[in-house]
Every structure is written in structure tokens, then in C-alpha cells.
Amino acid sequence: MSKEDVGITVSKNEDFSEWYTQVVLKAKLADYAPVKGLIVLRPDGYSIWESLRSTFDKKFAKNGIRNGFLPILIPESLLGKEQKHFAGFNPEVFWVTHSGTNVIGDKLALRPTSETLAYTMYSKWIQSWRDLPLKINFWNTALRAEIKATKPFLRTSEFLWQEGHTVHTTQEEAEKEVMKILEIYKNTVEEELAIPVTIGKKSEKEKFVGAVYTTTMESIMPDGKALQMGTSHFLGQNFSKPFEVKFADKDNVEHFAWQTSWGVSWRLIGAMIMTHGDDKGLVLPPNVAPTQVVIVPIYKNDEGKEKVLFKVDEIKNNLESKGIRVYVDDRSELSPGYKFNDWELKGVPLRIEIGPKDIEKQSMVVAKRYNREKAALSCNEVEKISTILDEIQKEMLKNAKEQARKNTTDISEYIEFKSKIEDGGFLNAPWCGKLECEEKIKEETGADIRVIPFGSENSNLKCVYCQEQSVSIPIFARGY
């Protein structure tokens, strides 16, 4: 038996990091590539990404956003046009310096993000107010040298993501776009991945380099660490000016445009694994599961086999006609028990077990992965499977919300803050808005401001660090 056939050998509660790595590898979502910092996405892992991509594409299209493609190489001269932006990414950039044995004149960066390249093109494409708004999304990869330990889906030197770049005639229109995208992100993550998120703004210290401000969605993972799930940035005219993204208005007066950029990555898959997985392995929300239902036929002889497989085929066809993704595990060399464990490890939301005795009773056994409940279901009630999958999706979000609530604490005293942060979790703590306090808290506790939730501004409390008047109640946490 190969190493990857063995189940999860550590508990999620006892060694979260090792548990996570084992789930990724043994559930066959991804594997480590020969180059340090890179991973290979296997079909099930890629299928989850394709599902998310499909959902986002439909929502983007409704918002007037179309897809485009950008090359991966960016000249150094372009990357340096917006100085703050360049300085922020420079330590992480991979550089191409040679073509064969020939030295390249202007070094080429492997895309860490595409603002500079996209806006060089936008400056050519946009002439008049009639060309706006321009809304393009790019599905691609980004490369950033990951100097910390590689963590599949969370910290890799190359990652799959989408990055959207929009251009508008007014500040108001651009800021509305920022919020529309953030809402699309929030709804998709909660509805498809069953992960609750908190949305709000980043602090000045934590915002995207080159942005006027950054909005974000953050989640708390079961190990008490925060994970940034996606960001939507208001760029103002910070890029339109150096890149000369201009338009002539109706009176033929030239103006610099207003811009946004926004993105999510395959980090969302990592969040899903951590939020829902258990000691048996992966637990997939039905909406994104590559296989939603696995049917395991059980029989002892050829006569029983024929009857069972006939019924299994009937059930499979019925489910597939309703758009349910089904797989029949008819591997004859493996025992039913082995198959059950195998599919639990892979996180398939629903398992149907059916044997000769079940057929006599005109029933089947239905096992839910997320809570491991088993129940008998009449073969005449196959249509209920769709409802069961919907219920599983809702229950998984409900459970994740409760898990997040238990991992969130209101704090007003710094002594309590320092003690509580050792347990992990989200800490809601008032803050005066000063960079010095933010930096001191980070320096002394390792916690940073993850998000300033919308509606938490204008607090009447005292800053948790300096005890001066606070301006908001951000969420502090240690993060990935």
C-alpha cells in the first residue's frame, strides 16, 4: 500500500499544520512540485477552482465585466512607474535577465500583479468618455518569491487568481465598483464555500501599496489564525496619473480616470480545507464538490452483483438527470469499508450504500460526510437527494459561523489583549487610529489589524493600547 493510501495520521486539534498538509496531499488536491515554493494542482483541486471561477464569471458578467488575458513578463521600467507600488513588491519579484546566453537589456519581471501592465494598455485604449467604464477581469497566475515555508494554497511562489481592473469617469462610480465587487466576493465565499467572512477596510499600514484605500474580507480559521480571503482596492488617480490613463469628457476636456483593482486567489481553497475538514480528512461543501454523491454497491456474489449494479445504475441516472455530480465506486478488489474511508478522506458530501438486502426493502443507506450521520432512504425518494445536499450546504455555513463566533472576543484592556492573543482568534479592540499604537501592538503581540469592519467607526471607547479616544473597533489577529 502506498504512503498516500494511508488515512490522516494526526489530529486537527493536536497538530493543525501537519493535519492540513496531509489532507491536501492525501485527498489528492495538490502535490509539491520539484521547484521549492511551487505546487501542482491535481484534478480534484482544479475542479474546485473551476467551480469558483464559473460562479465568479457569471456574477462578473452581470456587472458588465469581461475577461481578458495579460502576458506574464513585465519590463522593469513599467514596474517602476508607480514608485510606492514597485517598492512594495520588489523584494518578492522574480527577474528574467537572460534569453538563452544573451543578457536582456530591460530586466523582465514575472508578474507579481498586473496593475502596471494593464494600465499601460488602458492608456492606449481609452481616449474618450465613450470608452468608459472599462471593466476587465484577468484569470492568470502571479509569482511572488515566498521566503517563508511553503503551505499549499496559502503560501506558494506561484498561485492561481483573478485580478480585475476597472476604469471610471468619476470617483463616485469607481468607489461603488469597489463595494460591488466586495459584495460579490462575500456572497460567493459564503454561498459556495460555506465560510463566513467579515468585510471592511484595511488600515493605512495594511492597505495595498498604491491604493487610496483597501477593502477586505477576512475569516478566522479553526487554529485561531486570520486569513485574508480577498481584497478590493480604490486606486483613485494614483495609477492613472503616472500611466496617463486619461479621457476627454463631453466638452472635450481631458481628465485623469478613476480606477479600481481587486482579486481573490486559490487561497480560498485552503480556507475551505481548514474550516470544514476533520480528523478523517477533507469535508467538501456540495456546491463546489467535484463529486457530490458517491454510490458504493455492496455484494458477495455474481448474482447479487448483477441486481445491485442494475439498481445503482438506475439511481445514478436519476441523480445525473437532476444535475447532480455522481460517481459509482465499483472497484471489485477493495472492501466496502476501505471505500467508505477513502471517500471520507476525499470529502465527498454524500455517500449512498446499497446491497441486496437494501434492494429487497426498496431502500438505501445515505451517509452525510460533514456530520457522519447515516439514515435509510426509500429508493422511491431519490429526488430528496437534491434537498439533502442543499441542507448540508446550509448546515456547513451555520456550523462555520458558530465556530467563528466562538473564536471572536471583545477586548478593552491591553493586559487581557496580550493574554487572549496567545489563544488565537479575532479580537475586537478599540483603536485610536494612530500608526504608533498599531505598530506597538504588532511588535509586542504579533497581532495586526486584519479589518476595520464597516459600521465600527466612531467608537466612544478608549484605545486598547494608549487609552486615548478611539476612532474605530478593528479586528486584531495573528494571520497567515
Side-chain angles (χ1 to χ4, degrees):
M1 188 179 288
S2 70
K3 191 177 178 183
E4 73 173 9
D5 286 334
V6 179
I8 307 302
T9 59
V10 294
S11 167
K12 184 178 182 181
N13 292 331
E14 287 173 14
D15 190 342
F16 191 85
S17 179
E18 172 62 18
W19 167 85
Y20 175 83
T21 302
Q22 284 197 22
V23 172
V24 169
L25 299 179
K26 294 182 178 183
K28 299 182 180 177
L29 296 181
D31 205 348
Y32 291 104
V35 178
K36 188 181 178 186
L38 304 181
I39 63 169
V40 176
L41 210 49
R42 299 182 72 168
D44 275 356
Y46 195 70
S47 176
I48 295 166
W49 181 246
E50 285 181 313
S51 175
L52 288 170
R53 176 174 170 164
S54 174
T55 301
F56 279 127
D57 272 342
K58 286 172 191 165
K59 293 183 179 183
F60 291 161
K62 280 185 182 177
N63 197 36
I65 298 160
R66 299 184 69 194
N67 287 334
F69 177 77
L70 288 167
I72 200 166
L73 296 172
I74 304 173
E76 183 181 23
S77 54
L78 275 192
L79 208 55
K81 262 196 176 183
E82 210 290 330
Q83 288 300 323
K84 283 183 188 173
H85 179 75
F86 180 61
F89 280 107
N90 198 27
E92 302 175 328
V93 174
F94 288 103
W95 294 103
V96 176
T97 58
H98 287 72
S99 171
T101 57
N102 301 318
V103 177
I104 293 171
D106 191 2
K107 280 195 305 184
L108 299 173
L110 293 177
R111 170 182 49 234
T113 183
S114 299
E115 276 77 5
T116 57
L117 183 56
Y119 305 158
T120 298
M121 303 312 299
Y122 283 10
S123 69
K124 290 173 64 177
W125 300 341
I126 296 166
Q127 308 297 326
S128 149
W129 62 273
R130 292 182 181 87
D131 301 320
L132 298 176
L134 180 63
K135 302 181 182 184
I136 306 179
N137 173 62
F138 303 95
W139 292 97
N140 56 35
T141 64
L143 290 100
R144 300 175 189 173
E146 187 48 69
I147 53 176
K148 296 182 183 179
T150 304
K151 202 82 177 156
F153 298 113
L154 303 177
R155 285 199 173 278
T156 52
S157 291
E158 182 180 20
F159 52 90
L160 281 172
W161 74 338
Q162 61 72 214
E163 49 176 319
H165 299 279
T166 70
V167 189
H168 306 266
T169 54
T170 67
Q171 176 177 345
E172 181 187 12
E173 188 181 272
E175 291 194 78
K176 279 183 179 174
E177 189 72 16
V178 169
M179 289 307 300
K180 276 185 199 169
I181 295 300
L182 193 66
E183 281 299 320
I184 286 173
Y185 284 166
K186 179 181 188 292
N187 293 339
T188 302
V189 169
E190 293 190 343
E191 291 166 9
E192 299 297 305
L193 296 174
I195 303 172
V197 297
T198 300
I199 58 172
K201 281 187 177 180
K202 287 285 190 185
S203 67
E204 278 294 302
K205 175 178 175 285
E206 296 294 330
K207 75 178 183 182
F208 177 67
V209 279
V212 175
Y213 63 77
T214 289
T215 65
T216 184
M217 60 175 177
E218 303 278 326
S219 287
I220 191 70
M221 296 296 106
D223 64 343
K225 286 184 183 175
L227 189 67
Q228 179 180 290
M229 305 282 280
T231 47
S232 183
H233 316 289
F234 174 57
L235 303 179
Q237 296 174 320
N238 290 352
F239 285 86
S240 63
K241 287 177 178 177
F243 287 91
E244 299 193 319
V245 182
K246 296 182 284 188
F247 67 96
D249 67 14
K250 292 177 183 178
D251 298 320
N252 210 30
V253 177
E254 202 167 60
H255 302 274
F256 287 108
W258 300 86
Q259 294 180 261
T260 78
S261 71
W262 27 274
V264 295
S265 77
W266 66 13
R267 175 175 278 207
L268 295 178
I269 299 175
M272 177 202 70
I273 297 163
M274 291 191 286
T275 300
H276 303 302
D278 61 19
D279 287 354
K280 285 281 187 179
L282 192 61
V283 179
L284 290 169
N287 286 0
V288 296
T291 300
Q292 294 170 308
V293 177
V294 62
I295 305 174
V296 180
I298 301 167
Y299 49 82
K300 288 182 179 176
N301 52 47
D302 287 344
E303 185 187 346
K305 176 181 178 180
E306 194 175 324
K307 279 184 185 176
V308 170
L309 290 183
F310 182 82
K311 192 66 182 176
V312 162
D313 202 43
E314 186 183 293
I315 294 167
K316 177 178 180 279
N317 292 335
N318 191 325
L319 293 175
E320 285 183 336
S321 71
K322 293 173 173 56
I324 295 170
R325 297 183 289 278
V326 190
Y327 181 80
V328 175
D329 188 350
D330 55 2
R331 293 176 290 178
S332 57
E333 74 279 11
L334 298 172
S335 69
Y338 181 94
K339 293 177 186 179
F340 297 166
N341 287 328
D342 190 35
W343 292 108
E344 284 183 355
L345 172 59
K346 290 176 180 172
V348 173
L350 207 60
R351 184 177 74 244
I352 293 174
E353 305 163 15
I354 187 160
K357 289 182 180 177
D358 299 302
I359 291 170
E360 282 174 20
K361 299 179 200 168
Q362 275 294 298
S363 74
M364 53 187 160
V365 175
V366 175
K368 296 176 184 176
R369 174 64 185 92
Y370 88 101
N371 62 7
R372 305 187 71 210
E373 282 182 3
K374 278 190 175 190
L377 185 71
S378 167
C379 290
N380 299 321
E381 297 178 309
V382 173
E383 68 278 356
K384 285 188 177 178
I385 295 293
S386 293
T387 306
I388 293 169
L389 290 170
D390 289 341
E391 286 168 356
I392 290 171
Q393 185 78 29
K394 288 172 188 169
E395 282 297 311
M396 286 180 72
L397 178 59
K398 182 181 171 185
N399 291 349
K401 282 182 176 177
E402 179 60 18
Q403 183 176 269
R405 188 191 65 78
K406 288 178 180 175
N407 241 337
T408 304
T409 311
D410 294 334
I411 301 282
S412 58
E413 299 295 329
Y414 193 55
I415 292 173
E416 186 188 5
F417 186 107
K418 286 195 287 186
S419 170
K420 192 67 185 170
I421 199 66
E422 295 305 317
D423 300 328
F426 274 168
L427 302 187
N428 299 323
W431 173 56
C432 62
K434 291 178 185 172
L435 178 62
E436 305 94 274
C437 287
E438 185 180 4
E439 287 179 332
K440 282 287 184 186
I441 290 170
K442 172 73 172 175
E443 184 185 313
E444 294 172 16
T445 69
D448 46 28
I449 291 175
R450 303 301 305 185
V451 57
I452 304 166
F454 296 126
S456 73
E457 302 85 359
N458 305 319
S459 162
N460 293 319
L461 302 170
K462 302 293 183 187
C463 174
V464 72
Y465 190 82
C466 69
Q467 289 300 305
E468 290 183 15
Q469 180 64 41
S470 69
V471 295
S472 62
I473 306 175
I475 294 175
F476 289 83
R478 292 172 180 166
Y480 277 93

